[in-house]
Amino acid sequence: MFRTIGVVGAGTMGRSIAEMLAVKGLDVLLVEKSQEHLESALEMLEASLDRQMERWAITAAEKKLILNRIHKQKSLQDLGECDLVIETVSEDLDLKKQVFEELDRFLPETSVLASNTSTLSLTELAGVTQHPERVIGMHFVYPAFRVDVVEIIRGLQTSDDTFDRTKSFTEMVLDKKGVMVYESPGFVTTRLICLLINEALHLMEEGVASPEDIDTAMRIGYQFERGPLEMADRFGLDSVLAALERMFREYGELKYRPSFLLKKKVRAGQLGVKTGVGFFQYGKDGDRLP
């Protein structure tokens, strides 16, 4: 069973995954592209834990234990002892290939290489490695520590052993439901949620309803925790746009063509929670403002 886990990339998703793994009692080795980014990520992670303390979700002692399980690492080569490495860098195929190629050179053959990609081909990522059978997708839904499902994506050469070990780890250690998905752009969750978000944007463009009323209708009418527009803000509007553009290219169907309003928001730098404004406004701790 996996005990020491590497996480490559300490952005929004990487931090969420690292926190979730540490809460489960696992040692996490966290790598970022620079020491500055790494220090910033740890500060934001600690702030997340402080907010949980304020809500009495964890104690000060638990916070200390969680932080002590997350170890800052300077480079990918520091992950050589990991049983599992989860890559969470930007949705850039060339960048991910570079990470996988480097990791494959010094990780033991028994280690599993996983990507948190939401749209890219696991088969193509595995193609740059000498051991494509150990490459798999583990697509967590944000926030990883609260959402109890993981899409486990098989590439063309992913072995049964790699899949079985990953699924057992997901369900027995992380206590999440592992859903097996065969490789397809957007998989299940991204493909469906991006279409919902895109259609909500078309409703806005057509003046059918305000952003608040669109989200309220879906939250109350279909028992969503958040409406599609606030979901987009929390995913990052640039990430939603990138996912839709890739699916549009791959499938060639008009339903995946991104809304013009989404493109304008991204061009304006209004990316959602991470910039403080998207379709709604947010405070520095990520809470939505009135």
Side-chain angles (χ1 to χ4, degrees):
M1 193 61 72
F2 310 137
R3 295 303 308 170
T4 302
I5 318 297
V7 176
V8 181
T12 302
M13 201 67 218
R15 291 195 307 273
S16 184
I17 291 171
E19 180 180 339
M20 177 270 302
L21 293 169
V23 167
K24 295 296 182 181
L26 299 159
D27 285 316
V28 181
L29 307 186
L30 186 61
V31 177
E32 247 296 347
K33 57 188 174 184
S34 71
Q35 189 66 25
E36 183 182 356
H37 282 86
L38 195 53
E39 295 295 343
S40 174
L42 265 292
E43 287 174 11
M44 286 187 273
L45 206 155
E46 186 168 1
S48 169
L49 295 174
D50 286 339
R51 289 195 294 275
Q52 292 180 57
M53 283 177 58
E54 290 170 5
R55 298 196 302 269
W56 300 89
I58 61 172
T59 65
E62 286 171 326
K63 172 193 166 183
K64 186 176 180 181
L65 276 173
I66 291 166
L67 289 174
N68 285 342
R69 293 188 187 114
I70 299 174
H71 311 283
K72 297 178 287 185
Q73 303 298 323
K74 295 180 180 178
S75 72
L76 296 179
Q77 294 182 12
D78 295 327
L79 305 183
E81 301 301 316
C82 291
D83 307 306
L84 165 70
V85 176
I86 304 172
E87 167 275 312
T88 69
V89 302
S90 304
E91 285 288 279
D92 179 314
L93 183 60
D94 291 334
L95 177 59
K96 287 182 185 288
K97 280 182 174 180
Q98 183 181 330
V99 170
F100 270 69
E101 188 174 16
E102 188 171 347
L103 286 170
D104 187 62
R105 287 202 299 268
F106 52 81
L107 279 175
E109 290 185 28
T110 54
S111 299
V112 169
L113 276 173
S115 175
N116 184 57
T117 181
S118 57
T119 57
L120 299 174
S121 166
L122 272 302
T123 300
E124 195 165 352
L125 287 176
V128 300
T129 71
Q130 297 298 312
H131 304 283
E133 70 282 352
R134 66 166 169 181
V135 175
I136 197 163
M138 289 183 76
H139 181 228
F140 294 84
V141 179
Y142 182 81
F145 57 86
R146 278 175 48 198
V147 180
D148 292 330
V149 71
V150 179
E151 290 180 295
I152 303 175
I153 304 102
R154 299 188 68 142
L156 187 62
Q157 297 183 72
T158 303
S159 69
D160 290 339
D161 177 65
T162 296
F163 174 79
D164 292 341
R165 290 165 66 203
T166 304
K167 191 171 193 293
S168 294
F169 171 73
T170 300
E171 298 190 339
M172 296 174 65
V173 179
L174 303 185
D175 197 28
K176 296 180 184 293
K177 178 62 181 174
V179 177
M180 185 174 77
V181 179
Y182 289 103
E183 185 175 304
S184 175
F187 313 130
V188 174
T189 56
T190 301
R191 185 169 170 180
L192 291 175
I193 202 63
C194 281
L195 282 177
L196 176 64
I197 289 168
N198 211 33
E199 196 59 33
L201 290 166
H202 291 322
L203 290 173
M204 278 185 64
E205 288 175 338
E206 294 164 19
V208 174
S210 69
E212 292 83 358
D213 285 345
I214 291 169
D215 272 17
T216 299
M218 296 307 293
R219 276 194 303 103
I220 299 174
Y222 289 90
Q223 299 180 0
F224 282 25
E225 183 180 359
R226 296 186 175 98
L229 298 173
E230 186 174 344
M231 280 190 225
D233 279 348
R234 294 189 179 279
F235 295 151
L237 301 191
D238 52 340
S239 297
V240 175
L241 177 60
L244 281 166
E245 286 179 334
R246 179 163 290 276
M247 288 190 287
F248 184 38
R249 286 196 301 271
E250 293 283 348
Y251 292 114
E253 295 184 35
L254 286 176
K255 63 183 179 181
Y256 298 109
R257 186 172 66 187
S259 149
F260 291 120
L261 179 57
L262 178 61
K263 291 182 177 181
K264 283 196 285 188
K265 283 281 191 183
V266 172
R267 287 169 186 156
Q270 298 179 2
L271 307 181
V273 172
K274 58 188 169 185
T275 60
V277 61
F279 295 106
F280 306 103
Q281 292 190 332
Y282 303 87
K284 61 179 181 180
D285 58 358
D287 291 335
R288 185 169 152 187
L289 300 176

